Every structure is written in structure tokens, then in C-alpha cells.
Amino acid sequence: MTILDALPDRTGLDRLWHLLPQARLVGGSVRDLLRGVAVNDLDLATPEPPEIVQKILQDADIKVVPTGLSHGTLTAVIDRRPYEVTTLRRDDRTDGRRAVVSWTQDWREDASRRDFTINAMSCDSQGQIHDFFGGQEDLNAHRVRFVGDPARRITEDALRILRFFRFDARFGTETPDLEAMTAIRSKAALVETLSAERVASELLRILIGPRLLQNLAHMREADILSRLLPQAHEHRLARLLACQAPHDALLRLGALSDEENLAHRLRLSNKQAERLASMRILMPELLPDVPDDDLRRARADLPLESLLDRTWLRQADELGAPDPSWNALRNRLEKLPRPVFPLAGRDALQCGAPPGPQIGAALKQVQDWWRAEGCRPDRNACLARLKQALGLSPNDAER
């Protein structure tokens, strides 16, 4: 038996190995197979140049997507499952953010450019593990180490600093590798050269990782956290986690930092930015004993997700512990349909009002009344109020 026997379906992989017999599984797939956990992505490396790989696969009627040909990577799609295939590479030039590569047929040379020993192993079609840098031993010892000289690996790509903390939280112990931490502290300033998008991607992954508070403490110790989040509130995040809040990266980021410009600085998506901003909107506080009318008004103003965020953050601030009454509040919110003001400008016109600014003013007056009534009045009640605001007879019918 080999680790390959753990794969539930090898049909696509065996087909690739038939076409590319020298190819090997690499990276996380090998690591996870050795750990005996489910493998999500099957990535392969092969000595053949990418154009040769592409021709071989296309001649076999396999769909090929040129996902990164300049770096030797393409994606083979078999039975709707993607398999990333990359030609063995060496780094000819690096600047801490990107690399200029050329092809090689040397497996050790390719493995030596990878970040950590546990990610530098490969497995051939016979299930034999090729491990040049002690990755299996490190995996068994729950140790995350850079391949070769940590400072050099970091200089090649500064994102490896953040990847170290993400992987160490998942695969390491309570004490990070001393050599790695020493190198990270000496190269800490390099994280400020990374693109905001790359930083955000890694940071959000770290925030949903295991041993989060301890991991952030290690990042602070290595002079990394303050460079990413200058005003990080780890104590507030600790209180949120103590409430047993969801494993949600953006919610945790909102607890960790209240920096007004954070979403822009990290180049978050518009949706993510709006959600972070809504966590700070001043409005009637959502407490467990909030009246139904206030709850409906809040539900009309903000998306459900934003309101739930606010309850978790307020619970963290107020209590910092699990509490059934706060869970009941969230249950009320989730069961409450979002109230929608039932009128628009066309309703005023249909009532007989002439076009003009008075329509907007009247609608605003009615909407304020609707909100004051807890967003409960229905369309007919709002229409009657609108006619009154427009100075129309209550008996005027809709046209």
C-alpha cells in the first residue's frame, strides 16, 4: 500500500500519469496525503516544458487552460476536475515580489525554491515519496521550517513571512522555529513592499486559522502585526472569540482593527469594504431587550449580515462570553423579514400629484412616519398618509 491508495478516485490522475509518466504530485497534496486527511487540489510537476505538456494533453483530447504559461503552469480539466501541472523551475531572478524563472529537469532544484520543507515533497506514480529536505520528519514533529536559508527564502518572496505564520498555526507547535523567527524579524520591513491584495489574502486566511491569538502574538513578537495593523486590538478579538462567534475572517478583522481606512489600504472588495464600514455605523444599539419596532427599523436600514456583525461585536464589548439572550436576539433578526418602504415616486403621480420636488419631500415625510411606526404600516396606510402630505383628498383614488 502507498499513500495514493487513500485517494477516492484516481481516474484522472492515472490518465495524466499515463501521458506524463515522469510527473509527480507536489506540495500540499503530498503533505495532506501523508497526514491522512482529504486532499482538495491535486497539483503535479513534470520535467517536460509547458508547450510540450500542452500538446501532449491536447492530443489526448484533454481540455487545457493556460493559467500561467509564463511560469510553466497550465490546468488540465478531466471530468470537470482541474489538475494544475507545472514544469520544474529554477529562479533566475527575484525581487521579493515576483520571480523570473526558467525550466529545469532537476527535481531537487525545483524543490529548493519552495517555501517550507513540508511543502517541498513530491510523490511519483508508484507512491514513492521524494523528500530532499526532511519534510516528513518536520511534519511528524509538527515543525514548520523554511527550505534552506530562511532569510534567502524571504528575500525571494516576502509573502512567505505571512505564509509562515499561517502554516505554523496549522502545522506547528506553540513555539515557532527559532531560525525562522530570527530571519522574519530581520526582514520584517519587506512585508511593506507587498501588494495590498496579497497581504489581504493571507491575512484573512490567518484570521480563520487555528490558535489565532497565539499566532497574532508571534506576529507581534516578530514585528509583523504592527506593520499590517498598526492599531490592532487583540484584547477585543479575544473577547469576540470567547463569545463563540462564527469563524468569519471579516468579522474578526472588524474586531481586531477599527482603522477607518483599512478596507481601502488592503484593497478589499466593495462588498467587504461596505460590510466593515457598517460595523461602525452609529445607530440605536442592538441589545437583547431591544423592542420589536427598533429591530424592524434596524433591519430596514442594514443587511442582515451587518446587523449580526454588530451584535457579535457589542456582545464582545459588553460581555466577552457566550450568552443565550444574545443568541435569542440574533434568532429574532434572522426570522425577521427585511421591511421595505412600500411607496415610490410613481405612487404620488398616480394619486394625481403634479411632477415636482414636492413629491420627494412628501415621500420623505411619509417614510419618516413609517419608520416612527416601526416600519409596520402597509401600503394602503402609507398611500393615505401620502395623499395627506400632498394635500390631496383622502377619497382620491389611484389612477
Side-chain angles (χ1 to χ4, degrees):
M1 292 182 62
T2 71
I3 62 170
L4 296 176
D5 295 321
L7 292 172
D9 181 6
R10 285 180 48 180
T11 305
L13 185 58
D14 285 338
R15 187 176 178 193
L16 288 172
W17 264 324
H18 176 72
L19 297 169
L20 302 167
Q22 297 184 77
R24 299 179 190 172
L25 284 174
V26 292
S29 57
V30 180
R31 179 198 65 225
D32 290 342
L33 282 170
L34 286 169
R35 294 174 60 232
V37 300
V39 177
N40 296 319
D41 300 313
L42 292 174
D43 298 335
L44 297 98
T46 184
E48 293 89 351
E51 62 273 13
I52 299 299
V53 175
Q54 184 172 17
K55 185 177 188 308
I56 289 173
L57 297 179
Q58 288 177 337
D59 287 349
D61 293 327
I62 293 175
K63 180 181 177 181
V64 177
V65 181
T67 44
L69 278 181
S70 63
H71 285 82
T73 300
L74 52 82
T75 300
V77 182
I78 301 175
D79 295 331
R80 292 183 294 184
R81 179 168 187 175
Y83 299 82
E84 198 171 87
V85 184
T86 302
T87 297
L88 298 181
R89 299 173 290 184
R90 68 166 67 90
D91 288 337
D92 292 334
R93 189 169 66 254
T94 60
D95 62 4
R97 299 174 64 182
R98 61 185 67 83
V100 176
V101 301
S102 60
W103 318 139
T104 181
Q105 295 193 345
D106 187 332
W107 283 95
R108 184 184 182 95
E109 187 174 33
D110 180 86
S112 69
R113 67 183 298 278
R114 297 182 182 270
D115 49 13
F116 311 117
T117 61
I118 60 174
N119 293 339
M121 298 177 284
S122 59
C123 174
D124 62 28
S125 60
Q126 303 305 308
Q128 180 179 348
I129 303 297
H130 301 265
D131 181 9
F132 301 106
F133 305 107
Q136 289 186 81
E137 182 181 347
D138 287 339
L139 190 63
N140 293 333
H142 303 284
R143 184 169 54 229
V144 178
R145 290 191 305 119
F146 283 97
V147 172
D149 177 19
R152 180 177 178 181
R153 293 285 83 78
I154 292 169
T155 301
E156 291 168 348
D157 185 353
L159 192 69
R160 287 170 174 167
I161 290 176
L162 301 186
R163 285 175 58 83
F164 172 81
F165 290 108
R166 176 161 66 88
F167 277 84
D168 192 63
R170 184 178 174 192
F171 301 111
T173 63
E174 294 183 359
T175 305
D177 180 68
L178 178 59
E179 190 178 4
M181 288 290 283
T182 301
I184 289 171
R185 275 192 292 268
S186 71
K187 301 290 184 180
L190 289 179
V191 298
E192 298 176 10
T193 69
L194 293 167
S195 70
E197 292 83 358
R198 298 183 81 199
V199 169
S201 176
E202 284 297 325
L203 180 59
L204 293 176
R205 292 183 183 186
I206 287 171
L207 288 174
I208 56 172
R211 298 191 290 118
L212 175 56
L213 295 174
Q214 188 178 60
N215 199 25
L216 293 174
H218 293 155
M219 293 174 66
R220 181 175 292 283
E221 178 190 346
D223 192 27
I224 298 302
L225 185 60
S226 60
R227 295 176 184 273
L228 302 180
L229 302 171
Q231 299 175 343
H233 304 301
E234 293 148 272
H235 64 283
R236 191 183 190 212
L237 176 61
R239 292 177 67 86
L240 176 73
L241 298 180
C243 293
Q244 300 178 358
H247 283 66
D248 185 301
L250 214 63
L251 174 60
R252 293 178 175 185
L253 182 61
L256 186 59
S257 175
D258 53 11
E259 179 187 336
E260 188 172 349
N261 197 43
L262 182 61
H264 175 74
R265 185 165 62 81
L266 292 179
R267 299 290 189 271
L268 298 180
S269 69
N270 289 339
K271 183 178 180 180
Q272 290 172 321
E274 289 169 4
R275 185 177 167 197
L276 272 184
S278 72
M279 295 181 195
R280 298 190 291 270
I281 292 176
L282 296 177
M283 61 182 292
E285 293 295 347
L286 294 177
L287 299 172
D289 59 353
V290 62
D292 288 344
D293 283 357
D294 285 343
L295 206 62
R296 274 190 293 271
R297 280 189 280 267
R299 188 73 179 87
D301 289 341
L302 289 173
L304 175 61
E305 185 177 47
S306 297
L307 294 173
L308 294 176
D309 288 342
R310 293 172 65 86
T311 67
W312 283 114
L313 294 175
R314 186 60 188 267
Q315 182 180 349
D317 291 338
E318 294 283 325
L319 191 63
D323 184 81
S325 65
W326 283 95
N327 292 337
L329 170 61
R330 284 183 281 272
N331 189 51
R332 288 170 64 195
L333 277 169
E334 289 171 341
K335 289 183 176 180
L336 182 65
R338 188 173 191 178
V340 177
F341 181 58
L343 300 184
R346 62 179 177 274
D347 294 303
L349 296 174
Q350 290 172 348
C351 287
Q358 72 278 4
I359 287 180
L363 283 171
K364 176 67 166 55
Q365 180 181 335
V366 176
Q367 187 171 24
D368 288 345
W369 166 79
W370 176 76
R371 284 178 51 79
E373 294 293 316
C375 308
R376 287 180 285 106
D378 62 12
R379 174 177 170 81
N380 288 335
C382 288
L383 277 172
R385 193 82 178 189
L386 177 62
K387 292 173 185 177
Q388 181 181 349
L390 290 169
L392 301 174
S393 168
N395 296 323
D396 288 344
E398 285 191 51
R399 296 177 182 175

